[in-house]
Amino acid sequence: MSTKNITIQIDGILIAPSDPSSWKCNDANCNNWITFQHFDGLVIQGSGSLHGQGQKWWQMGCMQNKVLCSSQKAAGFAILDSKNVHISGLTSVDSRKWHISIERSSSVHASNLNIKAPEDSPNTDGIRIQHSTNVTISSSTIKTGDDCIGIGDGSKYININRILCGPGHGISIGSLGENGRSETVEYVNVRRASFYTTENGVRIKTWQGGHGYARHIRFEHISFSRVIRPIIIDQYSCPPYQHCKNYSTAVEVSNILYNDLKGTTSGEIAVELLCSESVPCKNIRMKDIQLDYGINGKIYDGHPKSHCLSVVQSWDEGNVYPNVACLTKKLSY
């Protein structure tokens, strides 16, 4: 049974317990702080703030042991098993882990959110989407220590629009296929996002040995300022401190469009497409890409590079800089 047509107004400051023991963790799982589950028609709005007080978590092992921290599954604010949800106007500060989690839900619309945590705070994703369809995130500012937005397994028809991201790790599809699992993401549109001093810009990441696919994904009208890796596909994710072998299986990455992506990079490699040798990326299309080397608002003479591995049947549709050698240039007649 779903609870129907509820409006919740948050205009004050909600403060999470500061003592980690209050979260009642059991093995690798912790309770979410605030959870809305089994709703059909839910509006959460207001000018209020959610203060997660994550500093003690980070000090008690996360900073020293990110493997331990990442094993704890808890969000500050979670929407679970719900549909027709609207969230707007809220601020989330210093969540212990993910700020907002959307799981097993459909028709979720979030806008005008302000999410922030220190640049070095581990695993503090701004918004994490999993097993959900028809999700729209728009007109929001996200400054955090991990992905501004992470789109995980079972997500499709996801629309991201007018996001200011940075600092953080960018907007990521994945990671997918960990421990050989079959995981999927499709029909994702990221438009009119701006990235400022992030580690990555737009990223697709998968684990070696996985199965499934990431496909029909569009990144359009995006700006970068001093982003280390603006465009990246990485199919070689590996646990920290481990040496991973090459596998004969991989998550298939296909039908990806990059259109009108411009700005500056502070790194050496602006475009990095590292695809599986056994399951190459295919139908990667780029058009109107201009990525210059720049710091503090100034463009310098350095020439950013691209790096390709195992990309096939893919296209440079014009005006792509730096040159991406694995893309076939389409000729105009």
Side-chain angles (χ1 to χ4, degrees), residues 69-142:
C69 185
S70 63
S71 69
Q72 300 293 342
K73 304 298 183 183
F77 183 96
I79 303 294
L80 310 178
D81 304 296
S82 296
K83 59 184 177 180
N84 301 314
V85 178
H86 294 262
I87 308 166
S88 64
L90 300 180
T91 296
S92 179
V93 180
D94 292 348
S95 179
R96 188 202 66 76
K97 192 172 180 278
W98 303 338
H99 284 256
I100 297 175
S101 178
I102 300 169
E103 300 187 45
R104 303 182 303 277
S105 296
S106 63
S107 298
V108 179
H109 305 276
S111 63
N112 298 301
L113 303 178
N114 186 14
I115 298 172
K116 50 190 176 182
E119 184 175 1
D120 61 351
S121 58
N123 298 290
T124 52
D125 293 43
I127 300 172
R128 183 71 184 172
I129 303 166
Q130 298 186 122
H131 303 288
S132 296
T133 61
N134 294 310
V135 177
T136 299
I137 311 294
S138 64
S139 303
S140 296
T141 299
I142 305 174

Side-chain angles (χ1 to χ4, degrees), residues 176-182 207-212 247 249-251:
L176 303 176
E178 185 175 5
N179 296 322
R181 290 193 292 265
S182 179
W207 292 82
Q208 296 185 69
H211 303 264
Y247 286 81
T249 61
V251 175

